[in-house]
mmCIF file with all atom_site columns, all heavy atoms in Angstrom:
data_model
loop_
_atom_site.group_PDB
_atom_site.id
_atom_site.type_symbol
_atom_site.label_atom_id
_atom_site.label_alt_id
_atom_site.label_comp_id
_atom_site.label_asym_id
_atom_site.label_entity_id
_atom_site.label_seq_id
_atom_site.pdbx_PDB_ins_code
_atom_site.Cartn_x
_atom_site.Cartn_y
_atom_site.Cartn_z
_atom_site.occupancy
_atom_site.B_iso_or_equiv
_atom_site.pdbx_formal_charge
_atom_site.auth_seq_id
_atom_site.auth_comp_id
_atom_site.auth_asym_id
_atom_site.auth_atom_id
_atom_site.pdbx_PDB_model_num
ATOM   1  N N   . HIS A 1 33  ? -36.581 7.529  -17.861 1.00 98.00 ? 33  HIS A N   1
ATOM   2  C CA  . HIS A 1 33  ? -35.478 7.810  -18.788 1.00 98.00 ? 33  HIS A CA  1
ATOM   3  C C   . HIS A 1 33  ? -35.523 9.267  -19.255 1.00 98.00 ? 33  HIS A C   1
ATOM   4  O O   . HIS A 1 33  ? -34.489 9.922  -19.398 1.00 98.00 ? 33  HIS A O   1
ATOM   5  C CB  . HIS A 1 33  ? -35.575 6.911  -20.020 1.00 98.00 ? 33  HIS A CB  1
ATOM   6  C CG  . HIS A 1 33  ? -35.466 5.432  -19.736 1.00 98.00 ? 33  HIS A CG  1
ATOM   7  N ND1 . HIS A 1 33  ? -36.538 4.590  -19.805 1.00 98.00 ? 33  HIS A ND1 1
ATOM   8  C CD2 . HIS A 1 33  ? -34.393 4.674  -19.393 1.00 98.00 ? 33  HIS A CD2 1
ATOM   9  C CE1 . HIS A 1 33  ? -36.137 3.345  -19.528 1.00 98.00 ? 33  HIS A CE1 1
ATOM   10 N NE2 . HIS A 1 33  ? -34.847 3.368  -19.267 1.00 98.00 ? 33  HIS A NE2 1
ATOM   11 N N   . GLY A 1 144 ? -29.772 6.969  -13.271 1.00 98.00 ? 144 GLY A N   1
ATOM   12 C CA  . GLY A 1 144 ? -30.893 7.083  -12.339 1.00 98.00 ? 144 GLY A CA  1
ATOM   13 C C   . GLY A 1 144 ? -30.578 6.455  -10.987 1.00 98.00 ? 144 GLY A C   1
ATOM   14 O O   . GLY A 1 144 ? -29.882 5.439  -10.908 1.00 98.00 ? 144 GLY A O   1
ATOM   15 N N   . ASP A 1 147 ? -31.407 2.616  -10.016 1.00 98.00 ? 147 ASP A N   1
ATOM   16 C CA  . ASP A 1 147 ? -30.363 1.580  -9.937  1.00 98.00 ? 147 ASP A CA  1
ATOM   17 C C   . ASP A 1 147 ? -29.244 2.143  -9.063  1.00 98.00 ? 147 ASP A C   1
ATOM   18 O O   . ASP A 1 147 ? -28.182 2.527  -9.549  1.00 98.00 ? 147 ASP A O   1
ATOM   19 C CB  . ASP A 1 147 ? -29.883 1.221  -11.346 1.00 98.00 ? 147 ASP A CB  1
ATOM   20 C CG  . ASP A 1 147 ? -31.024 0.697  -12.195 1.00 98.00 ? 147 ASP A CG  1
ATOM   21 O OD1 . ASP A 1 147 ? -31.359 -0.481 -12.075 1.00 98.00 ? 147 ASP A OD1 1
ATOM   22 O OD2 . ASP A 1 147 ? -31.616 1.484  -12.967 1.00 98.00 ? 147 ASP A OD2 1
ATOM   23 N N   . LEU A 1 181 ? -41.015 3.572  -12.051 1.00 98.00 ? 181 LEU A N   1
ATOM   24 C CA  . LEU A 1 181 ? -41.156 3.210  -13.465 1.00 98.00 ? 181 LEU A CA  1
ATOM   25 C C   . LEU A 1 181 ? -39.984 2.318  -13.866 1.00 98.00 ? 181 LEU A C   1
ATOM   26 O O   . LEU A 1 181 ? -38.845 2.547  -13.458 1.00 98.00 ? 181 LEU A O   1
ATOM   27 C CB  . LEU A 1 181 ? -41.184 4.460  -14.341 1.00 98.00 ? 181 LEU A CB  1
ATOM   28 C CG  . LEU A 1 181 ? -42.323 5.450  -14.072 1.00 98.00 ? 181 LEU A CG  1
ATOM   29 C CD1 . LEU A 1 181 ? -42.372 6.505  -15.178 1.00 98.00 ? 181 LEU A CD1 1
ATOM   30 C CD2 . LEU A 1 181 ? -43.676 4.761  -13.954 1.00 98.00 ? 181 LEU A CD2 1
HETATM 31 P P1  . AMP B 2 .   ? -32.255 1.032  -18.208 1.00 88.88 ? 301 AMP B P1  1
HETATM 32 O O1  . AMP B 2 .   ? -32.819 1.349  -19.549 1.00 88.88 ? 301 AMP B O1  1
HETATM 33 O O2  . AMP B 2 .   ? -33.175 0.242  -17.331 1.00 88.88 ? 301 AMP B O2  1
HETATM 34 O O3  . AMP B 2 .   ? -30.866 0.453  -18.281 1.00 88.88 ? 301 AMP B O3  1
HETATM 35 O O4  . AMP B 2 .   ? -32.098 2.416  -17.463 1.00 88.88 ? 301 AMP B O4  1
HETATM 36 C C1  . AMP B 2 .   ? -31.334 3.442  -18.036 1.00 88.88 ? 301 AMP B C1  1
HETATM 37 C C2  . AMP B 2 .   ? -31.136 4.519  -17.011 1.00 88.88 ? 301 AMP B C2  1
HETATM 38 O O5  . AMP B 2 .   ? -32.412 5.042  -16.619 1.00 88.88 ? 301 AMP B O5  1
HETATM 39 C C3  . AMP B 2 .   ? -30.455 4.026  -15.737 1.00 88.88 ? 301 AMP B C3  1
HETATM 40 O O6  . AMP B 2 .   ? -29.523 5.013  -15.310 1.00 88.88 ? 301 AMP B O6  1
HETATM 41 C C4  . AMP B 2 .   ? -31.600 3.897  -14.767 1.00 88.88 ? 301 AMP B C4  1
HETATM 42 O O7  . AMP B 2 .   ? -31.230 4.044  -13.421 1.00 88.88 ? 301 AMP B O7  1
HETATM 43 C C5  . AMP B 2 .   ? -32.498 5.034  -15.213 1.00 88.88 ? 301 AMP B C5  1
HETATM 44 N N1  . AMP B 2 .   ? -33.882 4.796  -14.791 1.00 88.88 ? 301 AMP B N1  1
HETATM 45 C C6  . AMP B 2 .   ? -34.650 3.712  -15.059 1.00 88.88 ? 301 AMP B C6  1
HETATM 46 N N2  . AMP B 2 .   ? -35.861 3.829  -14.473 1.00 88.88 ? 301 AMP B N2  1
HETATM 47 C C7  . AMP B 2 .   ? -35.861 5.001  -13.797 1.00 88.88 ? 301 AMP B C7  1
HETATM 48 C C8  . AMP B 2 .   ? -36.809 5.688  -12.978 1.00 88.88 ? 301 AMP B C8  1
HETATM 49 N N3  . AMP B 2 .   ? -38.017 5.182  -12.722 1.00 88.88 ? 301 AMP B N3  1
HETATM 50 N N4  . AMP B 2 .   ? -36.464 6.885  -12.462 1.00 88.88 ? 301 AMP B N4  1
HETATM 51 C C9  . AMP B 2 .   ? -35.228 7.404  -12.708 1.00 88.88 ? 301 AMP B C9  1
HETATM 52 N N5  . AMP B 2 .   ? -34.290 6.814  -13.465 1.00 88.88 ? 301 AMP B N5  1
HETATM 53 C C10 . AMP B 2 .   ? -34.598 5.625  -13.998 1.00 88.88 ? 301 AMP B C10 1
#
Side-chain angles (χ1 to χ4, degrees):
H33 298 107
D147 300 279
L181 299 190

